[in-house]
Amino acid sequence: MIAYYSSLAMVTSAVLYTVAMVLHAAEWASGRTVTVREREPAVVAVGAASDREPPTWEDSPRERPAPNPRLEIFGRAGVAITVIAALSHIAGVVLRGVAANRAPWGNMYEFITSSLAVVVVVYLVLALRYGMRWLGLPVTLLLTIGQGLAVTVFWVQIIELAPALHSVWFRVHIGAAALAGAAFNIGGLAAILYLIRSRAEARGSVRGYLARIPSAETLDRVSYRFNAFAFPLWTFTIAAGAIWAQDAWGRFWGWDPKETFSLVTWIIYAGYLHARATAGWKGHRAAVVAIVGLASFWFNFVGINLLTTGLHSYAGLPR
């Protein structure tokens, strides 16, 4: 019965994420006639009348769009629905763990739903605390696709854990991977928005909802900060996995497909951070590398389980 309610909560969250995505799409569409008013700083002095506004990630002056009540309605409704969906989603993850009497990370369905729960929590903190509601459409699109695939394609019955998963390092490894993945996803989505916004800026046609998201320079900085935060976590994830492998299989590294692609992902992000620090890579080139890194992360997270067989093949799907 608990497993049934877990599945119901997961399906409910998938439907609600779809509704939230539609609302955010309507928000973007209703912003097509947005006009831009006077240029003013995005961060105000402490003690000013507007210092009660949520802090933002933008610290350079930019043009501020005029208010649009219709856009605000869609945007706030999208965030509100996302909050309800997140509560349902988290309840589904918790109930899955209660029903299984273990951490709900034993197969790909559980990996994906748990990791996406971390993504939505991070997004809501950014949206409600730091005014980053402009991430609403790409994040809810990601959640709609991910959660939708989880409840329709990747769902499996609760099964016993593979022997190798009975380890405290299993929890440490997966927990760090989920948090790193959330930061990589936010960084990658910011990089995608950077490419869209920078192209509009280059053409001199920043119109519609693009006028409401931060400048390309700020998006580049946001992407870098999240990827820089995630990289040490991903490094720790690999190190914890190596310790776990030694405990479970008697070797730290065996070039298993998932181990190998975890290293590939690490190398891509290491190159990204190194290029920014030493060669001054910013903007378009850095954004492309960040997106390639995110694609590598998701291929390692999902594709390896579907396409290969190895010691990490815990998808639980029939082959």
Side-chain angles (χ1 to χ4, degrees), residues 13-39:
S13 70
V15 172
L16 290 175
Y17 286 139
T18 304
V19 174
M21 181 193 68
V22 171
L23 288 169
H24 282 300
E27 178 188 17
W28 279 62
S30 64
R32 66 186 182 278
T33 58
V34 165
T35 57
V36 178
R37 64 186 185 190
E38 71 274 8
R39 190 176 183 86

Side-chain angles (χ1 to χ4, degrees), residues 197-318:
R197 169 87 191 202
S198 64
R199 184 177 180 183
E201 289 181 2
R203 291 195 310 241
S205 58
V206 182
R207 301 187 182 94
Y209 195 81
L210 285 180
R212 288 190 167 266
I213 69 175
S215 66
E217 178 184 358
T218 300
L219 289 169
D220 180 57
R221 187 164 55 249
V222 169
S223 177
Y224 168 71
R225 288 176 179 175
F226 276 98
N227 288 324
F229 171 79
F231 182 72
L233 284 172
W234 189 247
T235 304
F236 175 76
T237 298
I238 294 175
I243 296 172
W244 176 21
Q246 172 65 27
D247 181 57
W249 303 310
R251 90 291 189 278
F252 287 102
W253 193 268
W255 298 105
D256 181 78
K258 190 171 283 286
E259 293 174 353
T260 302
F261 230 87
S262 293
L263 179 61
V264 170
T265 302
W266 185 91
I267 291 172
I268 292 171
Y269 280 109
Y272 166 85
L273 295 174
H274 179 73
R276 288 194 69 117
T278 61
W281 273 31
K282 292 184 179 180
H284 186 272
R285 290 183 296 181
V288 170
V289 176
I291 294 168
V292 171
L294 181 60
S296 173
F297 171 83
W298 273 109
F299 179 77
N300 182 49
F301 204 64
V302 178
I304 291 295
N305 282 335
L306 298 178
L307 300 177
T308 67
T309 300
L311 293 174
H312 289 81
S313 299
Y314 304 130
L317 300 175

Side-chain angles (χ1 to χ4, degrees), residues 3-238:
Y4 167 78
Y5 285 118
S6 170
S7 298
L8 180 62
M10 294 293 194
V11 172
T12 300
S13 70
V15 172
L16 290 175
Y17 286 139
T18 304
V19 174
M21 181 193 68
V22 171
L23 288 169
H24 282 300
E27 178 188 17
W28 279 62
S30 64
R32 66 186 182 278
T33 58
V34 165
T35 57
V36 178
R37 64 186 185 190
E38 71 274 8
R39 190 176 183 86
E40 52 187 62
V43 175
V44 297
V46 175
S50 57
D51 64 5
R52 291 179 296 238
E53 296 179 359
T56 71
W57 282 66
E58 184 162 9
D59 52 17
S60 59
R62 70 183 179 97
E63 294 174 333
R64 179 170 296 183
N68 184 324
R70 190 169 155 197
L71 183 149
E72 286 298 316
I73 290 172
F74 284 129
R76 291 179 181 179
V79 172
I81 295 297
T82 304
V83 169
I84 299 171
L87 293 174
S88 179
H89 187 166
I90 294 169
V93 172
V94 171
L95 290 174
R96 179 81 175 190
V98 171
N101 196 30
R102 56 170 171 76
W105 304 328
N107 49 64
M108 195 161 67
Y109 167 75
E110 295 173 359
F111 293 156
I112 290 177
T113 53
S114 297
S115 297
L116 289 177
V118 178
V119 172
V120 71
V121 169
V122 171
Y123 160 67
L124 288 174
V125 170
L126 295 174
L128 298 175
R129 179 71 181 89
Y130 295 100
M132 295 175 67
R133 197 181 74 199
W134 43 269
L135 279 168
L137 180 57
V139 169
T140 53
L141 176 60
L142 171 68
L143 292 168
T144 298
I145 295 173
Q147 196 75 342
L149 287 173
V151 299
T152 57
V153 177
F154 301 139
W155 182 89
V156 292
Q157 295 280 358
I158 294 174
I159 56 176
E160 290 295 322
L161 287 179
L165 300 183
H166 291 281
S167 169
V168 66
W169 287 105
F170 162 62
R171 299 180 182 87
V172 174
H173 175 70
I174 299 300
L179 186 56
F184 279 144
N185 274 279
I186 298 297
L189 293 175
I192 293 171
L193 289 176
Y194 163 83
L195 293 178
I196 297 172
R197 169 87 191 202
S198 64
R199 184 177 180 183
E201 289 181 2
R203 291 195 310 241
S205 58
V206 182
R207 301 187 182 94
Y209 195 81
L210 285 180
R212 288 190 167 266
I213 69 175
S215 66
E217 178 184 358
T218 300
L219 289 169
D220 180 57
R221 187 164 55 249
V222 169
S223 177
Y224 168 71
R225 288 176 179 175
F226 276 98
N227 288 324
F229 171 79
F231 182 72
L233 284 172
W234 189 247
T235 304
F236 175 76
T237 298
I238 294 175

